[in-house]
Amino acid sequence: MKPDHAIVSPKHDVFQAIADPTRRSLLQLLVDQELSVTVISGHFPISRTAVSKHLRILAEAGLVRERKVGRETRYQLVSEPLLELKSWLSYYERHWENKLAMLKHYVESDNQDQVDNSPSIRPKQEY
């Protein structure tokens, strides 16, 4: 017996969508221009079908928008969903900045200790 509601596969989120290097390259390609799948496919060593699958995942994540122009489908970047990624990364950016500041302090204090502990060179005194 079939259930009353159809099982719909969940849409991909931004993190899943950008996990693949090909999809990240697709996004870079679409930063400044709207392109057809045919033109996009020319930039990759994979089949047009594979490119279409990657574009579908990006579309499900809301990162690209499709637009029909005659018989071709054109794609353009939608950058707003990347704000979620930026927000998530900003937390870790503070962590990295803190670690770098601690490293800077350690290196500078270590160098100062070495300067303070090094034998001083004094001019030769004449007797």
Side-chain angles (χ1 to χ4, degrees), residues 1 4 7 28 33-34 44 50 55-56 58 70 76 78 83 114 122:
M1 177 179 245
D4 292 330
I7 298 174
Q28 287 178 323
Q33 55 194 339
E34 178 183 78
F44 296 92
L55 287 166
R56 186 171 47 247
L58 291 171
Q76 69 182 100
V78 179
L83 292 174
Q114 288 177 5
R122 296 185 187 141

Side-chain angles (χ1 to χ4, degrees), residues 27-79:
L27 291 175
Q28 287 178 323
L29 188 62
L30 295 170
V31 164
D32 294 322
Q33 55 194 339
E34 178 183 78
L35 297 172
S36 70
V37 71
T38 305
V39 172
I40 293 168
S41 296
H43 290 271
F44 296 92
I46 56 177
S47 70
R48 182 178 169 173
T49 303
V51 168
S52 292
K53 287 179 182 180
H54 283 296
L55 287 166
R56 186 171 47 247
I57 290 169
L58 291 171
E60 288 173 357
L63 290 166
V64 296
R65 181 176 302 126
E66 300 175 349
R67 184 171 72 98
K68 283 287 204 183
V69 178
R71 293 187 310 161
E72 71 179 9
T73 303
R74 295 186 183 170
Y75 294 86
Q76 69 182 100
L77 174 70
V78 179
S79 60

Side-chain angles (χ1 to χ4, degrees), residues 12-127:
H12 293 86
D13 68 12
V14 173
F15 297 94
Q16 290 171 323
I18 66 162
D20 185 276
T22 300
R23 290 193 287 271
R24 291 192 302 268
S25 294
L26 282 166
L27 291 175
Q28 287 178 323
L29 188 62
L30 295 170
V31 164
D32 294 322
Q33 55 194 339
E34 178 183 78
L35 297 172
S36 70
V37 71
T38 305
V39 172
I40 293 168
S41 296
H43 290 271
F44 296 92
I46 56 177
S47 70
R48 182 178 169 173
T49 303
V51 168
S52 292
K53 287 179 182 180
H54 283 296
L55 287 166
R56 186 171 47 247
I57 290 169
L58 291 171
E60 288 173 357
L63 290 166
V64 296
R65 181 176 302 126
E66 300 175 349
R67 184 171 72 98
K68 283 287 204 183
V69 178
R71 293 187 310 161
E72 71 179 9
T73 303
R74 295 186 183 170
Y75 294 86
Q76 69 182 100
L77 174 70
V78 179
S79 60
E80 289 81 14
L82 293 172
L83 292 174
E84 177 185 0
L85 177 65
K86 181 181 178 185
S87 173
W88 185 80
L89 285 173
S90 70
Y91 171 80
Y92 295 97
E93 184 177 24
R94 289 185 303 229
H95 176 72
W96 296 328
E97 288 172 355
N98 183 35
K99 294 292 184 189
L100 287 173
M102 289 174 22
L103 177 62
K104 179 182 179 203
H105 175 73
Y106 173 76
V107 168
E108 289 174 351
S109 67
D110 190 43
N111 286 339
Q112 187 60 43
D113 290 344
Q114 288 177 5
V115 170
D116 292 343
N117 294 330
S118 64
S120 52
I121 301 173
R122 296 185 187 141
K124 222 180 204 183
Q125 291 181 347
E126 292 182 27
Y127 294 98

